[in-house]
């Protein structure tokens, strides 16, 4: 059923993990290279208006970086995405765990979550703008409404799949209600939750940009909308590159290590 | 599952429970452990501390082996330092190393995990030890050593052990008293108290006793419809 290896310290061999990292880095470089080549090819074929050259985009980006628009827009979008995400995570987790513990909560909340999941993000943008107008809270609310179902369903699923044998064992060893929660339920649910939170953050980031494009607030999306009005493709591409780069950076530097922390006890895949 | 069974364990010593599969041996352990309320009657447990080893290892996959072993001590409010010492001692008693203690369950073999589960029970220094087929995944040599550990618990430490097993030889080698259950629904078929004490039994005695137990099982009051494991 399982391997009999007993590596010291309980970690997988260093050599293998290092090789994987090098492989992943090389793959990333090749993928980005291919995308850039494709980008430049489209530019050469269809011209400046359809697709700006790499050089043109880079200089648009440098210009915005210099006058500070880039940083302030990134900061605002980041705030919208992060605030919305944190709200969604806290709300989803609390409701998901209650639904897992109480049947009545689940019966009511599960359909609500499913319906929320089905409402297109764009519908929330329209509704939020109608309800609240363009306030700083509008993009945050849009993000929260769009993302909340993901942590909710993950927490619910997690609390349903807790191993009853482990719960019985903990009770046999006199762990109280709190002990069972701390030693059995929470670690199990955390394993389900970490990847869901990473997915929810990615969604939050994209929805924040989208909400800004449609006028819900200042940020990267606002810049994108302005570039569209001016038919300035180079600036638009610069914003898009910034959006993707920031999302990848947050995923790689924050979300991935965080997910790893919750999964360290799992057998290596 | 079970009908009309009353069992009185007066320690110290090993009481083995044998019987065909599905006769409710596991249910008996769960009732004795207080995990399952009996439909009728009750359980009176006059032992100070009770610990349970299940058929499955039931280790927490997200805790290192040493922390798993110390689980019962944490609930009892033992200090961190004392917990670590007790866990290390319990691991050593079942033949696991400090290095095994630092591993996660998935890194150990099934037999090693089973021994860790036994160590978790030993760590709380139980007066009553409930064992449900605890040596399922262990190899022959290990099994001999663990059986010696159990005997020493009963003999030298004055502990009471209830051992549920399908292995007649195990029962014949370890137990002062052997309770034989019959299947469908599980009820008492016989109670065998051999003339010799387990520690005095020769291999020939054990073989003879195993044969006697097999005879009792085969001639149980309801031989039809019961299957031997």
């Amino acid at each position: 059923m399982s391997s009999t290896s007993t590596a010291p310290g309980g970690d997988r061999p260093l050599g293998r993990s290092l090789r994987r990292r090098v492989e992943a880095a090389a793959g990333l470089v090749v993928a980005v290279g291919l995308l850039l080549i494709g980008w430049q090819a489209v530019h050469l074929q269809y011209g400046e208006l359809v697709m700006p050259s790499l050089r043109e985009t880079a200089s648009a980006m440098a210009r915005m970086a210099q006058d500070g628009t880039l940083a302030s827009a990134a900061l605002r979008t980041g705030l919208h995405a992060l605030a919305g995400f944190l709200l969604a995570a806290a709300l989803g987790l609390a409701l998901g765990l209650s639904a897992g513990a109480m049947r009545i909560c689940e019966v009511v909340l599960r359909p609500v979550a499913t319906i929320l999941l089905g409402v297109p993000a764009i519908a929330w943008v329209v509704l939020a703008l109608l309800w609240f107008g363009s306030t700083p809270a509008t993009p945050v609310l849009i993000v929260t409404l769009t993302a909340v179902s993901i942590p909710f369903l993950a927490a619910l699923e997690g609390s349903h799949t807790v191993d009853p044998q482990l719960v019985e064992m903990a009770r046999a060893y006199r762990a109280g209600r709190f002990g069972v929660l701390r030693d059995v339920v929470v670690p199990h649910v955390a394993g389900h939750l970490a990847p869901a939170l990473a997915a929810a953050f990615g969604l939050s980031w994209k929805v924040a940009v989208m909400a800004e494009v449609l006028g819900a607030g200042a940020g990267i999306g606002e810049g994108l909308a302005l570039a569209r009005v001016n038919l300035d493709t180079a600036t638009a591409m610069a914003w898009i590159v910034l959006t993707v780069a920031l999302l990848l950076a947050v995923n790689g530097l924050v979300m991935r290590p965080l997910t790893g922390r919750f999964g360290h006890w799992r057998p290596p895949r | 599952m079970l009908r009309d069974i009353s069992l009185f364990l007066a320690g110290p010593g090993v009481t083995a429970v044998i019987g065909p599969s599905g006769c409710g041996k596991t249910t008996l352990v769960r009732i004795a452990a207080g995990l399952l309320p009996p439909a009728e009657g009750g359980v009176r447990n006059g032992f100070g501390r009770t610990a349970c080893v299940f058929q499955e290892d039931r280790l927490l996959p997200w805790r290192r082996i040493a922390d798993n072993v110390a689980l019962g001590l944490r609930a009892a409010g033992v200090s961190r330092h004392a917990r670590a010492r007790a866990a290390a001692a319990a691991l050593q008693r079942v033949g696991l190393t400090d290095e095994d203690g630092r591993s996660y369950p998935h890194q150990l073999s099934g037999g090693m995990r089973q021994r860790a589960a036994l160590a978790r029970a030993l760590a709380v220094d139980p007066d009553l030890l409930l064992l449900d087929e605890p040596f399922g995944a262990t190899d022959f040599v290990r099994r001999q050593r663990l059986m010696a550990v159990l005997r020493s618990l009963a003999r030298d430490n004055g502990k009471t052990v209830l051992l549920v097993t399908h292995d007649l030889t195990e029962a014949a080698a370890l137990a002062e008293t052997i309770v034989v259950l019959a299947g469908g629904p599980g009820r008492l078929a016989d109670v065998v108290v051999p003339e010799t004490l387990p520690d005095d039994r020769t291999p020939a005695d054990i073989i003879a006793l195993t044969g006697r137990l097999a005879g009792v099982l085969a001639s149980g009051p309801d031989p039809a419809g019961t299957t031997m494991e």
Side-chain angles (χ1 to χ4, degrees), chain B residues 19-108:
Chain B
S21 59
C23 73
K25 298 192 293 283
T26 296
T27 309
L28 189 67
V29 170
R30 293 182 65 211
I31 290 174
L35 295 170
L36 193 71
E40 276 173 53
V43 180
R44 268 196 49 211
N45 189 343
F47 292 98
R49 279 182 300 273
T50 305
C52 202
V53 179
F54 302 90
Q55 260 180 59
E56 314 81 15
D57 58 71
R58 301 201 189 183
L59 297 168
L60 299 172
W62 39 79
R63 296 262 190 276
R64 294 177 192 277
I65 293 294
D67 296 332
N68 263 295
V69 169
L71 187 85
L73 298 170
R74 188 155 132 176
V78 178
S79 79
R80 173 185 288 271
H81 189 68
R83 283 204 308 261
R85 240 178 325 150
L91 282 171
Q92 197 184 13
R93 189 142 197 196
V94 299
L96 291 174
T97 62
D98 286 350
E99 194 182 302
D100 296 330
R102 284 189 294 272
S103 304
Y104 285 98
H106 77 84
Q107 293 168 312
L108 302 186

Side-chain angles (χ1 to χ4, degrees), chain A residues 8-42:
Chain A
D11 289 315
R12 59 190 89 167
L14 183 70
R16 208 164 115 210
S17 108
L18 188 69
R19 217 183 92 192
R20 279 186 185 204
R21 270 166 201 240
V22 170
E23 266 176 17
L28 185 68
V29 168
V30 171
V32 170
L34 284 175
L35 276 174
L36 291 180
I37 289 171
W39 174 341
Q40 192 68 8
V42 172

Side-chain angles (χ1 to χ4, degrees), chain A residues 20-240:
Chain A
R20 279 186 185 204
R21 270 166 201 240
V22 170
E23 266 176 17
L28 185 68
V29 168
V30 171
V32 170
L34 284 175
L35 276 174
L36 291 180
I37 289 171
W39 174 341
Q40 192 68 8
V42 172
H43 161 70
L44 292 173
Q45 184 68 34
Y46 297 101
E48 197 72 24
L49 192 62
V50 171
M51 187 65 95
S53 69
L54 292 176
R55 177 198 291 271
E56 196 58 38
T57 309
S59 72
M61 203 163 208
R63 209 166 43 242
M64 292 193 295
Q66 237 159 30
D67 66 15
T69 14
L70 210 67
S72 88
L75 193 68
R76 280 161 191 276
T77 302
L79 274 178
H80 293 155
L82 191 66
F85 164 74
L86 288 179
L87 224 66
L91 208 65
L93 187 59
L95 292 177
L97 286 179
S98 344
M102 278 173 288
R103 185 96 187 100
I104 181 77
C105 283
E106 183 187 350
V107 169
V108 176
L109 288 176
R110 193 191 271 277
V112 173
T114 314
I115 291 167
L116 284 189
L117 208 58
V119 176
I122 197 82
W124 292 125
V125 177
V126 173
L127 284 177
L129 281 172
L130 284 174
W131 292 339
F132 306 104
S134 199
T135 72
T138 311
V140 174
L141 194 78
I142 294 165
V143 169
T144 302
L145 282 167
T146 315
V148 71
S149 298
I150 299 176
F152 170 81
L153 289 172
L156 179 57
E157 211 52 48
S159 47
H160 274 320
T161 49
V162 170
D163 186 351
Q165 290 196 334
L166 290 183
V167 174
E168 190 185 63
M169 181 279 297
R171 278 179 47 214
Y173 282 93
R174 303 278 172 271
R177 243 171 194 287
F178 177 72
V180 171
L181 203 66
R182 178 192 56 199
D183 291 328
V184 184
V185 178
V186 167
H188 174 84
V189 172
H192 272 259
L193 209 61
L197 286 182
F201 185 78
L203 184 67
S204 301
W205 183 250
K206 285 179 278 191
V207 168
V209 171
M210 191 189 73
E212 292 158 8
V213 167
L214 294 161
I220 292 176
E222 189 192 41
L224 256 178
L226 208 64
R228 188 187 75 102
V229 170
N230 297 335
L231 293 179
D232 185 352
T233 336
T235 307
M237 284 307 286
W239 285 121
I240 293 169

